[in-house]
Amino acid sequence: MNVEQRSIEFIPHNERHGNVRNLFSIWFSANTNVMPLLNGCMGIVLGLNIFWTLIAMILGNLIGGLFMAFHSAQGPKLGIPQMISSRVQFGVIGAAIPIIMVFVGCPLFGAAESLLVVDAIKSVVSVPEVIGLVIFGVATIFITFFGYDFIHKFSNVMTILSLITFALTTVFALQLDLPAGAWSASQGFNLGAFLVVMGLGASWQIGYGPCVADYSRYLPAHTSTASTFWYTYTGTVLSGIWMPLVGAIIAAGIPNAADHINTSIATLFGPFAPLAYISLILGIIIMNTVITYSGYMSLVTCFSYNKQHISKNSKFWIITFIVALGTIIAITTKDHFNDYFGDIMVFQMYYLIPWTSVNLIDFYFFRKGKYNIPEVYDVNGVYGKYNWSTMAVYIVSFFIQIPFMSFSFYKGPMFTALGGADITWIVGLAASGILYYFFMGPKVKNRLSKELNVENDEKRVAQ
């Protein structure tokens, strides 16, 4: 297996390869692990029963998955990483505003995944916690460094392994002694909790938006938008619903299951618990790899305005830096990490929601997938250093969300008025979408011809 040669540059058409069906595998496997199980556990903790947790997750994933899959469909058409396409809307340097938050979230998410999986590692290999965290980090670096094709092949294997593991987990979990009314539509409902859990499902899917096209950009340009969309959508939504359902069942049947989710699952396998632990570890590794790979892309995008190619040596050390940062955060804050991790990740979601709306409206409604790719890499090009109008829309949209936000230290007045229901993601998507469509629409249409006729894309890429 060769190390991937490309990084943030355009993927030439003669290097395009792969089968669109692999998109199902990578997004199914990325979600088929213990991390999204916790979303289902949250529904039980908040007072919903299994039935209403499932309904909330179905609705949230079906809605959020739309945005995620539409981002995925950009990959074959543009042939560039997801976040670098933001330069078209925000300007070559201005795009750093949303991109930097993607990078910040990467080591934090890595730290959370490390702390979640370390008990499973210690159950398989008798090592101190710090060594377990390092082992997890090294595995992530190795797979991420090899890059696109290796990640796809690994995800194909993990799809089968995770399918077997969680099919058995589901069967075992259904045999637990569940409380009365766990599956009843007439019990266990609370609107505030329902909207929170629905938001968790939607936000989980939308959160993949900044990285999803990274895993479709090598596909041939003639790959249909519909096939890219549906293979991504079905893979991520099916697993995004299934895992929280399993989590809800386990949380309803095992007290405090969310506090030791790996152990709660592994004990269901009896004498085969070590095999279950191994599968759970590998499932978290593939997810962490997906996030780290895109974190690498985002960091390089922030600081490489005119330079496109990144050497293997630089790539290795950038990836190592990201993983090491996450590992250090996990080691130094493991006793109180959750005190602030939730707030940081929620803030990241609020921060990026306006981006997903702006990016998709621009691509599908205004420019209709027609970007001048070489200009995306030119700091003095037609897209400019900064697009102040888009940045204004983005900032205003963010501030519109504030009354609806919820942190441990701040509860917005609208959040309180809605009985603790966090609908910030709905408000953010709507506000940014409406503002960008009506404020930027005429401007984009007026300059589109100029953007595309600066110089022929294929000619400049070949140079």
Side-chain angles (χ1 to χ4, degrees):
M1 177 63 67
N2 296 322
V3 175
E4 180 185 6
Q5 300 298 310
R6 300 289 178 179
S7 54
I8 64 170
E9 65 263 45
F10 171 78
I11 307 302
H13 294 292
N14 62 354
E15 295 182 21
R16 302 292 188 95
H17 64 278
N19 193 311
V20 69
R21 291 193 296 272
N22 288 335
L23 295 177
F24 178 92
S25 296
I26 194 163
W27 296 114
F28 186 88
S29 63
N31 282 335
T32 316
N33 58 72
V34 296
M35 199 79 168
L37 257 75
L38 296 176
N39 289 336
C41 293
M42 182 61 69
I44 303 302
V45 170
L46 292 175
L48 297 178
N49 65 8
I50 297 173
F51 175 82
W52 287 111
T53 298
L54 174 60
I55 298 301
M57 276 294 161
I58 289 174
L59 292 175
N61 277 273
L62 287 175
I63 295 170
L66 292 172
F67 297 92
M68 187 268 203
F70 276 122
H71 279 302
S72 180
Q74 294 173 308
K77 304 304 177 186
L78 298 178
I80 58 178
Q82 182 68 71
M83 290 307 292
I84 209 165
S85 69
S86 302
R87 292 178 174 182
V88 174
Q89 297 95 44
F90 290 83
V92 175
I93 299 178
I97 290 179
I99 293 173
I100 196 66
M101 186 52 66
V102 176
F103 167 71
V104 169
C106 178
L108 289 170
F109 210 83
E113 291 169 326
S114 298
L115 292 174
L116 182 61
V117 79
V118 69
D119 286 340
I121 294 175
K122 289 164 60 181
S123 297
V124 175
V125 185
S126 225
V127 294
E129 189 169 80
V130 172
I131 300 301
L133 292 171
V134 171
I135 291 172
F136 179 73
V138 170
T140 300
I141 292 171
F142 176 82
I143 299 171
T144 306
F145 178 68
F146 275 91
Y148 183 92
D149 285 331
F150 191 80
I151 294 172
H152 270 282
K153 291 181 185 300
F154 185 40
S155 71
N156 289 339
V157 174
M158 283 309 304
T159 294
I160 298 172
L161 181 58
S162 296
L163 185 61
I164 295 171
T165 301
F166 284 102
L168 291 172
T169 301
T170 304
V171 171
F172 297 149
L174 288 171
Q175 297 175 28
L176 293 171
D177 185 17
L178 301 176
W183 294 98
S184 174
S186 61
Q187 301 178 42
F189 178 80
N190 174 279
L191 181 59
F194 182 85
L195 291 175
V196 168
V197 176
M198 179 179 166
L200 286 174
S203 298
W204 180 269
Q205 296 293 353
I206 294 172
Y208 279 126
C211 67
V212 61
D214 296 349
Y215 299 95
S216 60
R217 74 191 199 280
Y218 275 87
L219 290 173
H222 60 72
T223 304
S224 74
T225 297
S227 61
T228 306
F229 174 90
W230 284 112
Y231 278 110
T232 301
Y233 188 76
T234 53
T236 193
V237 169
L238 286 176
S239 54
I241 294 171
W242 183 23
M243 290 302 98
L245 171 60
V246 176
I249 296 171
I250 292 175
I254 301 176
N256 304 314
D259 296 334
H260 42 82
I261 190 66
N262 289 296
T263 301
S264 297
I265 293 172
T267 52
L268 296 174
F269 286 76
F272 298 100
L275 295 178
Y277 276 124
I278 292 172
S279 179
L280 296 176
I281 293 167
L282 293 174
I284 288 289
I285 287 176
I286 184 62
M287 184 180 185
N288 198 41
T289 298
V290 166
I291 299 299
T292 303
Y293 181 79
S294 292
Y296 153 70
M297 294 285 187
S298 296
L299 184 59
V300 172
T301 299
C302 278
F303 299 103
S304 299
Y305 300 120
N306 292 315
K307 181 181 178 181
Q308 298 182 34
H309 181 71
I310 306 299
S311 69
K312 291 181 183 179
N313 189 53
S314 298
K315 176 183 179 180
F316 174 80
W317 287 113
I318 292 171
I319 292 170
T320 300
F321 167 73
I322 294 171
V323 174
L325 185 58
T327 303
I328 290 171
I329 292 173
I331 292 172
T332 57
T333 66
K334 59 186 176 67
D335 295 327
H336 52 272
F337 181 76
N338 289 334
D339 294 346
Y340 60 87
F341 171 73
D343 284 337
I344 293 174
M345 296 310 294
V346 166
F347 177 78
Q348 183 196 33
M349 183 56 58
Y350 295 155
Y351 189 90
L352 290 173
I353 279 173
W355 165 82
T356 199
S357 187
V358 165
N359 184 264
L360 290 177
I361 287 176
D362 184 85
F363 183 86
Y364 287 102
F365 290 94
F366 295 162
R367 292 185 168 91
K368 301 185 186 303
K370 297 178 181 178
Y371 289 4
N372 190 323
I373 300 301
E375 294 297 307
V376 170
Y377 297 94
D378 188 350
V379 73
N380 296 311
V382 69
Y383 295 119
K385 292 183 176 70
Y386 305 94
N387 188 320
W388 297 106
S389 298
T390 299
M391 291 163 67
V393 167
Y394 184 85
I395 292 170
V396 170
S397 300
F398 177 81
F399 277 97
I400 289 174
Q401 296 178 101
I402 291 178
F404 298 85
M405 292 180 179
S406 171
F407 298 98
S408 62
F409 57 87
Y410 168 80
K411 307 294 181 185
M414 293 306 298
F415 173 83
T416 303
L418 291 169
D422 189 346
I423 62 168
T424 311
W425 63 279
I426 300 175
V427 174
L429 288 170
S432 55
I434 292 170
L435 286 173
Y436 190 77
Y437 186 87
F438 288 104
F439 183 62
M440 290 299 298
K443 295 184 178 182
V444 173
K445 291 174 183 177
N446 288 337
R447 59 179 290 146
L448 185 57
S449 177
K450 176 186 175 182
E451 291 176 358
L452 297 178
N453 290 319
V454 170
E455 195 168 337
N456 179 270
D457 281 4
E458 294 295 331
K459 178 181 177 181
R460 291 190 63 184
V461 168
Q463 292 175 345

